[in-house]
Amino acid sequence: MRVSDKHQKITQAAVKVFARKGFFNARISDIAKEAKVADGTIYLYFNNKYDILISLFEDEIGKIIVKVKLLLENETDPLKMLEIYAIHHLSLLQDQKELVEVLQMELRQSNKFIKEYRNTKFIEYIDIISEIVHKGQDSGHFRKEIMPGVIKRAFFGALDEMSRLWALSAKPHYTLEETAKHISDIFLRGIVVRNS
Amino acid sequence: MRVSDKHQKITQAAVKVFARKGFFNARISDIAKEAKVADGTIYLYFNNKYDILISLFEDEIGKIIVKVKLLLENETDPLKMLEIYAIHHLSLLQDQKELVEVLQMELRQSNKFIKEYRNTKFIEYIDIISEIVHKGQDSGHFRKEIMPGVIKRAFFGALDEMSRLWALSAKPHYTLEETAKHISDIFLRGIVVRNS
DNA sequence: GCTTATTATGAATAATGATTCATTTTTGTT
DNA sequence: AACAAAAATGAATCATTATTCATAATAAGC
């Protein structure tokens, strides 16, 4: 087994365990068991428990960024682009429920207990929104007076709160697409130059 | 000192310590020191460490609900009501920074590690939004086809993500009122019957 | 097939910190 | 003031677990 495979295997196991028990309640031995390796093996690939979490953030958010950028690549209409972002973000929950749970529960507070860690990948992910908004303002689709720095947080926050609800409660009342479009629609009506 | 005073004193100390270190990194002895009581004293007022956190949620969100309901009491315009809610929510950060940090960091994940705990107070707080939206639909101000259950999450999520940004970064770029009005404005344009 | 280098193991270590409870201090009553 | 009841103390307990490291297994080179 290649080195990177085992790294990956431990990361995947950590996602499962962190999702189930949370970072602090997760034991290294739980992760080792899930990954089918010895406890000590984990320390050949990671410096410590925090390092597993940080490494997981970087890798997985990196992948998410690559994917959403790919989806946006061939779209030029900023309205459509926001909708694509919304659908993609909510889709994550379907495709990778455990990962989303970990990101939601642990990512935010990581700044608190890991002082050195500046979450640059996360910032890169939400900055995609403000780039779209800027583009829409330049092209005349969006009102000039809206503040991209506020909108990116508001839009992301709206989506992520839905995602959180679904992650905790059993079943969504509405379909994912329906909800993504509903939220995009509200925002778009709020930021476009003229309402049709 | 009355019994309830000491309960309160420990709760306040816990807010400070949890905000500084996070729930899991906070030691009971830290809270005891901050509250100027002995470690053992804490166990005369709380069953265990989790109980401090839960009790803190219930008490403090309860107070927040009372306050925002009071603010909304004399307002009948649903548009204004949403704005009031937004301003109040963002104001919390100014008035009670440490409490907001604890609610943001620890509240969400508490469902994960304290299985028995259904966070009813939190639900009561965000349900205020859907009540306003329903009222606005009944009065003809808001479009019938919008989904209050989605809007309440989206609106709350938008506000709370701003709050989180400010809690982590040093200084807001915009004033609180400005931001609250900007976010309310986007949502209101998105949900009103006709745009002016 | 033998030797060396790499990778993996998991029992032992060592620190940590929540909780308990025997003892002390404070408060209230007569 | 003397006594009882209530409240507070904090050192000792005891379980928990991240990390280490001496040893073993596996792979690579020749």
Side-chain angles (χ1 to χ4, degrees), chain B residues 4 13 18 21 24 40 44 52 66 79 90 102 119 134 144 150-151 164-165 174-175 179 182 184 189:
Chain B
S4 69
F18 289 157
K21 316 182 85 172
F24 285 102
L44 301 175
I52 304 174
V66 168
L79 286 80
L90 293 184
V102 174
N119 202 332
H134 270 302
K144 295 271 187 255
V150 173
I151 296 303
R164 173 158 33 239
L165 170 69
Y174 318 104
T175 71
T179 307
H182 198 51
S184 304
R189 283 171 186 258

Side-chain angles (χ1 to χ4, degrees), chain B residues 4-6 11-12 16 39 41 58 69 81 84 98 115 124 144 161 166 168 186 192 195:
Chain B
S4 69
D5 286 344
K6 192 149 281 191
T11 302
Q12 293 310 319
K16 276 202 166 61
D39 294 16
T41 306
E58 299 286 321
K69 284 195 169 163
M81 289 174 89
I84 289 170
E98 285 157 338
K115 290 179 207 54
E124 192 184 335
K144 295 271 187 255
E161 184 65 28
W166 289 346
L168 290 176
I186 303 293
V192 290
N195 292 291

Side-chain angles (χ1 to χ4, degrees), chain B residues 19 38 46 49 56 67 95 107 132 141-142 149 157 161-162 166 169 173 179-180 186 190 195:
Chain B
F46 300 90
K49 196 178 164 186
L56 184 163
K67 194 173 161 208
D95 304 341
L107 176 65
I132 297 173
H141 286 88
F142 297 157
E161 184 65 28
M162 282 310 304
W166 289 346
S169 71
H173 288 161
T179 307
I186 303 293
N195 292 291

Side-chain angles (χ1 to χ4, degrees), chain B residues 51-66:
Chain B
D51 190 37
I52 304 174
L53 189 65
I54 299 297
S55 163
L56 184 163
F57 289 159
E58 299 286 321
D59 295 354
E60 298 300 323
I61 299 180
K63 286 185 207 162
I64 292 171
I65 291 171
V66 168

Side-chain angles (χ1 to χ4, degrees), chain A residues 123-166:
Chain A
I123 291 170
E124 193 184 334
Y125 179 58
I126 61 171
D127 275 351
I128 295 172
I129 301 172
S130 48
E131 283 160 25
I132 298 173
V133 173
H134 269 301
K135 188 181 292 201
Q137 286 180 314
D138 290 345
S139 67
H141 287 87
F142 296 158
R143 289 186 289 127
K144 295 273 188 251
E145 64 269 30
I146 61 165
M147 306 187 266
V150 173
I151 296 303
K152 79 173 175 195
R153 290 282 168 175
F155 190 63
F156 173 79
L159 292 173
D160 211 44
E161 184 65 28
M162 282 309 304
S163 189
R164 177 173 304 123
L165 170 69
W166 289 345

